[in-house]
Amino acid sequence: MSIPKLRWLRGPLQAGLLACALGLGAAVQADDHDLARQALESGQVLPLATVLGKLAREVPGQVLKVEFEREDGRFIYEIRLLQNDGRVAKLKVDAVDGRVLAIKRKDTEKDRDANSRGGR
């Protein structure tokens, strides 16, 4: 069979690969969701709303993204915030007690440009 005769398979093959990839991604997300739900139902972690309420008083900003994971045996909420000064902060929060474990802030492009020109 020559290669040109197999061209009709390219579209369905690509679609099948894409479907497999999307299905795998959904399975991983479902596992994370299940892990979070089980930890919450068993009382191992605080509800996200409780953590976000506490966080709003300590580190104000608009929540952009939340991830729940287990890191080194500890349940962690990774939370990205858009702060009032326009910077994005990535926080690691202990899901058991709501303690902020780490904060990383990213400067905006405008801040980096000003810093590279001597603060102008």
Side-chain angles (χ1 to χ4, degrees):
M1 196 182 250
S2 67
I3 299 296
K5 291 183 181 177
L6 292 177
R7 283 188 178 190
W8 65 272
L9 281 176
R10 185 173 22 180
L13 181 60
Q14 288 173 339
L17 289 173
L18 179 61
C20 288
L22 291 175
L24 179 61
V28 169
Q29 288 175 354
D31 288 345
D32 289 345
H33 179 75
D34 289 341
L35 176 65
R37 184 176 39 76
Q38 289 170 1
L40 180 62
E41 288 174 355
S42 66
Q44 294 177 327
V45 299
L46 293 173
L48 179 59
T50 302
V51 171
L52 292 178
K54 182 178 189 245
L55 197 60
R57 292 183 296 275
E58 295 176 19
V59 188
Q62 180 181 354
V63 176
L64 300 175
K65 181 178 182 181
V66 176
E67 292 180 14
F68 181 83
E69 56 189 44
R70 192 167 188 130
E71 192 173 281
D72 298 326
R74 171 186 270 175
F75 288 113
I76 301 289
Y77 285 113
E78 282 192 4
I79 302 169
R80 286 206 181 139
L81 293 175
L82 177 60
Q83 296 187 295
N84 296 336
D85 62 2
R87 293 188 299 171
V88 174
K90 182 177 180 182
L91 291 81
K92 286 193 176 195
V93 180
D94 189 314
V96 174
D97 60 13
R99 236 176 348 118
V100 176
L101 302 173
I103 300 175
K104 291 184 183 177
R105 289 184 174 88
K106 293 183 182 180
D107 291 332
T108 62
E109 286 293 324
K110 185 178 178 181
D111 290 340
R112 280 194 291 268
D113 290 344
N115 290 334
S116 67
R117 289 178 289 181
R120 288 185 191 185

